[in-house]
């Protein structure tokens, strides 16, 4: 039963160069660390992070309250944080402060019990552990690219190997990248990258990213599916129901037609955030339409809509607004709430994709989380970027450690 004797935090820079926090906690002679990412196309219903300087001050406050307390499991520790914060969106302590501590605590338990982190997370989950498919964002657009580069309207064009084996899957992503480079060169596109390490393609036609991926797939050796994240909340103008990007604009029906067209043409596996986070009726209409056309095997993925919040997931599932969900620990701010949100989504028969943020750190927590809770996918950007690669590599490390155990 670990007691935390000290916690210290420092301000570090994330992969975008912005400030974030890294926290270390101490219990006896065990020290564990965690750092927190941050998003750019953030959902407005996400838990609220504190300014990094404020987060460090809050850390001291939390440690004073935690003094001499024992916590038997992650949930007890997280409940203590929730109670101390006392708000529905962590606005007092900051979701970054609470998440860093919560992850540190999960790691502390793992070290103390001398078991892998994913096992601690699995104990908290109703699901069996299993390897997720990799969702690699290889063409970046939207808010994740400098506006002057004239990026595509959709934020992410994802390549998703069919293999579940992380080693084979990562090899497939790397070889896809090699082929993609040659296709981009043949189209006269220079090597430019967005926030998640994917290539930048300029243009206003949202289909162009998929056209290029498809051309690549024809010369690629291996089976991959595609997905997109439209991140439509950041396209929504709030005026006359119009989604806007540069000189282009679409209403929800026009967008739905584009989605159905590209889903069929490229055999898409998933479409994330197809509509604005507060336009649930548009999601419901789209889902109904897919059902009527018997195309309901498409994953319609909530991110800004659901923000890793069990209540919002429940509402969306009961309204039949989606059938899959993005799980991002920092949208909620504690490990146990994150796992509960994923479990609930699974109870509704939804697919679950654990995800990084566009501003990342070297922390590989989400890999243990994805494996530990048996997520269907892990979305962690392009492996050309170190802060993304560590997540994929951690999955491979887990696989190797399981193989060693068997021997
Ligand atoms: P964000 O984007 O981390 O910038 O919010 C990722 C996503 O929308 O999935
Ligand atoms: Zn998203």
């Amino acid at each position: 039963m670990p007691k935390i004797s000290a916690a210290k935090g420092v301000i570090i820079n994330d992969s975008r160069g912005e400030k974030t926090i890294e926290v270390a906690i101490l219990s006896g002679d065990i020290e564990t660390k965690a750092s927190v990412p941050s998003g750019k196309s953030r959902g407005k219903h996400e838990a609220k992070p504190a300014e990094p300087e404020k987060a460090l001050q809050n850390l001291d406050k939390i440690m004073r309250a935690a003094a001499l307390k024992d916590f038997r499991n992650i949930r007890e520790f997280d409940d203590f944080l929730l109670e101390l914060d006392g708000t529905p969106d962590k606005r007092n302590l900051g979701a970054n402060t609470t998440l860093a501590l919560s992850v540190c605590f999960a790691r502390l338990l793992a070290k103390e019990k001398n078991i892998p982190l994913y096992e601690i997370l699995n104990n908290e989950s109703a699901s069996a552990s299993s390897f997720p498919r990799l969702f690699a964002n290889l063409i970046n657009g939207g808010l994740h690219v400098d506006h002057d580069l004239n990026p595509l309207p959709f934020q992410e064009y994802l390549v998703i190997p069919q293999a579940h084996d992380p080693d084979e899957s990562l090899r497939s992503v790397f070889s896809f990248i090699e082929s993609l480079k040659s296709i981009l060169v043949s189209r006269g596109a220079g090597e430019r990258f967005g926030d998640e390490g994917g290539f930048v393609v300029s243009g206003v036609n949202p289909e162009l990213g998929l056209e290029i991926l498809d051309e690549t797939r024809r010369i690629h050796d291996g089976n991959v599916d595609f997905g997109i994240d439209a991140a439509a909340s950041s396209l929504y103008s709030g005026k006359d129901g119009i989604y806007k990007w540069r000189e282009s604009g679409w209403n929800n029906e026009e967008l739905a037609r584009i989605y159905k067209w590209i889903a069929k043409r490229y055999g898409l596996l998933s479409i994330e955030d197809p509509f604005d986070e507060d336009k649930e009726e548009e999601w419901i209409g789209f889902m109904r339409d897919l059902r009527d056309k018997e195309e309901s095997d498409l994953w319609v993925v909530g991110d800004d809509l659901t923000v890793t919040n069990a209540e919002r997931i429940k509402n969306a599932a009961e309204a039949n607004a989606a059938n899959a969900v993005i799980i991002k620990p920092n949208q909620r701010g504690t490990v146990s709430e994150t796992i509960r949100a994923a479990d609930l989504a699974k109870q509704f028969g939804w697919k679950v994709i654990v995800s990084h943020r566009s501003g990342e750190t070297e922390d590989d927590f989400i890999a243990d989380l994805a494996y530990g809770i048996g997520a269907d996918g892990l979305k962690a950007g392009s492996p050309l970027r170190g802060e993304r690669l560590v997540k994929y590599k951690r999955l491979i490390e887990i696989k190797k450690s399981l193989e060693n155990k068997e021997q």
Side-chain angles (χ1 to χ4, degrees), residues 16 38-43 46 143-144 155-156 195-196 229 231 272-273 303-304 326 328 330-331 355-359 379 388:
R16 258 197 295 259
S38 67
K40 193 182 262 177
S41 66
R42 280 207 286 258
E46 294 188 21
L143 294 184
H144 290 168
Q155 187 175 277
E156 303 177 9
D195 284 353
E196 297 185 359
D229 180 2
E272 181 179 333
D273 276 351
D303 174 12
D304 292 349
I326 288 288
K328 293 170 171 168
N330 81 325
Q331 283 182 326
S355 166
H356 67 159
R357 301 305 303 247
S358 51
K379 187 169 88 142
R388 321 281 153 183

Side-chain angles (χ1 to χ4, degrees), residues 44-109:
K44 81 169 166 228
H45 305 288
E46 294 188 21
K48 303 286 174 281
E51 289 298 323
E53 291 77 6
K54 182 81 177 43
L56 298 190
Q57 289 167 16
N58 291 346
L59 209 55
D60 296 335
K61 187 165 124 194
I62 298 169
M63 277 310 104
R64 280 195 297 277
L68 305 174
K69 279 200 167 71
D70 275 335
F71 304 101
R72 274 173 303 185
N73 50 44
I74 323 179
R75 191 174 291 215
E76 272 190 19
F77 182 67
D78 290 349
D79 285 349
F80 154 76
L81 292 173
L82 290 187
E83 200 175 312
L84 191 65
D85 175 77
T87 71
D89 58 5
K90 316 277 190 307
R91 118 177 55 111
N92 272 339
L93 298 176
N96 47 349
T97 325
T98 55
L99 180 66
L101 281 169
S102 184
V103 172
C104 280
F105 186 78
R107 289 191 164 124
L108 182 65
L109 279 181

Side-chain angles (χ1 to χ4, degrees), residues 12-301:
I12 59 169
N13 296 98
D14 70 16
S15 56
R16 258 197 295 259
E18 284 165 20
K19 288 189 202 165
T20 185
I21 56 167
E22 181 183 80
V23 169
I25 64 173
L26 205 66
S27 173
D29 55 3
I30 304 177
E31 187 191 57
T32 58
K33 276 188 187 171
S35 56
V36 185
S38 67
K40 193 182 262 177
S41 66
R42 280 207 286 258
K44 81 169 166 228
H45 305 288
E46 294 188 21
K48 303 286 174 281
E51 289 298 323
E53 291 77 6
K54 182 81 177 43
L56 298 190
Q57 289 167 16
N58 291 346
L59 209 55
D60 296 335
K61 187 165 124 194
I62 298 169
M63 277 310 104
R64 280 195 297 277
L68 305 174
K69 279 200 167 71
D70 275 335
F71 304 101
R72 274 173 303 185
N73 50 44
I74 323 179
R75 191 174 291 215
E76 272 190 19
F77 182 67
D78 290 349
D79 285 349
F80 154 76
L81 292 173
L82 290 187
E83 200 175 312
L84 191 65
D85 175 77
T87 71
D89 58 5
K90 316 277 190 307
R91 118 177 55 111
N92 272 339
L93 298 176
N96 47 349
T97 325
T98 55
L99 180 66
L101 281 169
S102 184
V103 172
C104 280
F105 186 78
R107 289 191 164 124
L108 182 65
L109 279 181
K111 279 202 174 171
E112 208 185 43
K113 293 181 197 282
N114 201 18
I115 58 175
L117 176 61
Y118 60 78
E119 220 170 294
I120 291 286
L121 303 174
N122 180 256
N123 291 343
E124 202 64 36
S125 162
S127 308
S129 48
S130 64
F131 285 106
R133 288 177 70 180
L134 306 189
F135 282 58
N137 176 13
L138 297 190
I139 296 182
N140 292 182
L143 294 184
H144 290 168
V145 174
D146 184 346
H147 204 63
D148 293 338
L149 295 179
N150 188 19
L152 294 175
F154 295 160
Q155 187 175 277
E156 303 177 9
Y157 296 83
L158 300 140
V159 171
I160 311 156
Q162 287 175 3
H164 280 257
D165 177 273
D167 227 344
E168 187 185 337
S169 205
L170 185 60
R171 271 201 305 274
S172 178
V173 173
F174 272 123
S175 88
F176 196 95
I177 289 173
E178 276 312 301
S179 308
L180 177 56
K181 272 187 193 166
S182 68
I183 297 288
L184 288 170
V185 168
S186 72
R187 284 174 168 254
E191 271 196 28
R192 297 167 308 174
F193 299 95
D195 284 353
E196 297 185 359
F199 295 99
V200 173
V201 170
S202 297
V204 284
N205 177 5
E207 194 181 334
L208 183 58
L210 287 165
E211 207 179 288
I212 292 173
L213 291 184
D214 198 42
E215 203 178 321
T216 309
R217 182 158 59 181
R218 278 185 237 125
I219 59 165
H220 170 74
D221 187 22
N223 295 325
V224 299
D225 293 315
F226 299 147
I228 59 155
D229 180 2
S233 303
S234 44
L235 301 175
Y236 191 60
S237 66
K239 275 192 236 129
D240 310 323
I242 297 296
Y243 294 83
K244 263 181 82 66
W245 188 249
R246 294 183 176 266
E247 59 270 33
S248 301
W250 311 269
N251 65 26
N252 70 303
E253 282 161 8
E254 288 162 337
L255 266 189
R257 265 200 296 280
I258 295 177
Y259 296 141
K260 279 180 272 182
W261 159 253
I262 59 177
K264 217 181 179 118
R265 184 176 172 114
Y266 303 99
L268 290 193
L269 177 74
S270 63
I271 298 186
E272 181 179 333
D273 276 351
F275 304 103
D276 181 68
E277 57 209 340
D278 288 329
K279 293 278 168 195
E280 200 179 58
E281 67 281 7
E282 296 179 3
W283 292 71
I284 294 168
F286 185 57
M287 287 286 288
R288 193 184 310 123
D289 219 26
L290 291 177
R291 246 192 343 272
D292 292 348
K293 296 201 172 59
E294 290 177 3
E295 286 164 2
S296 45
D297 52 345
L298 178 69
W299 301 13
V300 179
V301 190

